[in-house]
Amino acid sequence: MAALSSRDPALVPYQPKLAPTATEAGKPLLAWRLRATSKDAVRVYLNANIHAGEVEGKEAAQVIMREFLQGLHPAARQHLDLVICPAYNADGTDALDPAIRKYQPNPESGVGRRENARGLDLNRDLMKAQAANTKWFLAMLQDFDPAVVFDLHTTNGSYHGFHLTYAPSLALGADPALLAFNRQLLNEVRDGLKTQGLPTYDYGNFRPENLKPGETPKGWETFDYRPRYLSNYPGLQDRLAILSEAYVHRSFPERIADTRAFVLACLDWIAGHRNEVRRVTGEARRHWLEGWPSRTPSLPLAADFERTESYQFEVVQPLKNIDGRVTGEASRAAFELPSFVTWAPAEFVPVPKGYLIDAAYAFKVRPVLEAHGIQVLNGSARPKAPLSFFHEADRNLASQAFQGIFGLTLKGAWTPAELPRPMAPHWTPEDLDRALYVPLEQPLGRVAFYLLDPRSPDGLVFWGFFHECLVRSDGAWGEPLRFPLVAVGAASGAAGPGPRPPAKKAE
Ligand SMILES: [Zn+2]
């Protein structure tokens, strides 16, 4: 990238304002910007190597930049303003080891590590934003303000006939018209690539997941809707997103070529539909903000798989060597199967005007909210509206840590009365004034809801930000403390069955 940049001054290093410039381990976070040649541009961000063992996106992104500078893609060059980060997981990228992902045909030097130097999977960190890389990405969204975000990966091992699989943002609670448009983009790119001999489809696995030889699959299903994934999160910010997953069993050069062809097809589509891209993303933002304060929106706490369509799939029975690397095919069979690659949102609850957060937690909650770009006020600035208090109906504390955290899933409802706890400290007017106040009537109100509602499957309660208060140790003295969040304005809604985070894993 530096060599390209030195040959053409149009390609310049890019660093978002107020963002970390390096990982916690000291590896620089490097990105470049290539401005469109027209004023009529759509901004697009290309992310690669978030899982640093999945390396072909890093190569394909650089090939594409070189070809842009060579003048090979004039329409996209003219209408797209690009920022590219080829080695997002900078720690993992340099930790090359031929022992990693041996089932994947790799360059001789080996490939890098999935996690960062702290052991975090950066593609699960978007909500809690623990890693410097995530803070960099969130700052980039505010600073560069892309309409479209790409994230480039490799699959982990299912055997199907597609050279590449993809996904739009699946984010729970994102604007429905935006999600439908995101899917339309990818459907049209899929149909175009099929005529060029590049079979692609929504990222997923067969039902059941581990097919026995000769077993007939019952369907094909995608991964889940939580915004912790880098390719889901942009939907909550009214942006389009594209997950690209090259097929792990193709050769390294083939995977680079497939990823290049797929990304270029998407870029061409975006350039050709730039007015629609601007309209749909702009309308999503306006849909959220219109009508307040007389109308407050509802948002879903869960979603169910829905049958999307019927499609042609191929089940491949591979021949493998001792490393699990595919050396050929024993058989290949075609099936027409139902695909479950869209989610029907469920368990809608009315959102409050905003949330108050106990001042005792401001030191760690304010930085993560502000990293997301959410406006945080003082409690004294809250509107005059009735308060609601969270009544917990049920809970599940994970028995295994994930990303170093034992996740806490709460069920319950907001009600007008505080729980009768004679010995617990009650909220005084001074406590309410000293709290943080986060209004949901703000451009990133959807993100704020999913960070702050205690029933959110991916919020700060789940990720342990309030564990010292909400997860009591054996022998703790007295009554539990008051709940650290208060809703301002009507926020009723049944306790319901509670959020159902799906078990399906993304790669
Ligand atoms: Zn991955």
Side-chain angles (χ1 to χ4, degrees), residues 51 54 114 153-154 245 507:
H51 291 148
E54 306 170 15
R114 180 180 180 88
H153 292 249
T154 316
E245 296 264 359
E507 295 176 349

Side-chain angles (χ1 to χ4, degrees), residues 50-52 54 101 114 121 123-124 151-156 243-245 506-507:
I50 188 171
H51 291 148
E54 306 170 15
R101 291 174 75 89
R114 180 180 180 88
D121 182 337
N123 199 27
R124 305 293 184 272
D151 197 26
L152 309 182
H153 292 249
T154 316
T155 60
N156 277 355
L243 169 73
S244 166
E245 296 264 359
E507 295 176 349

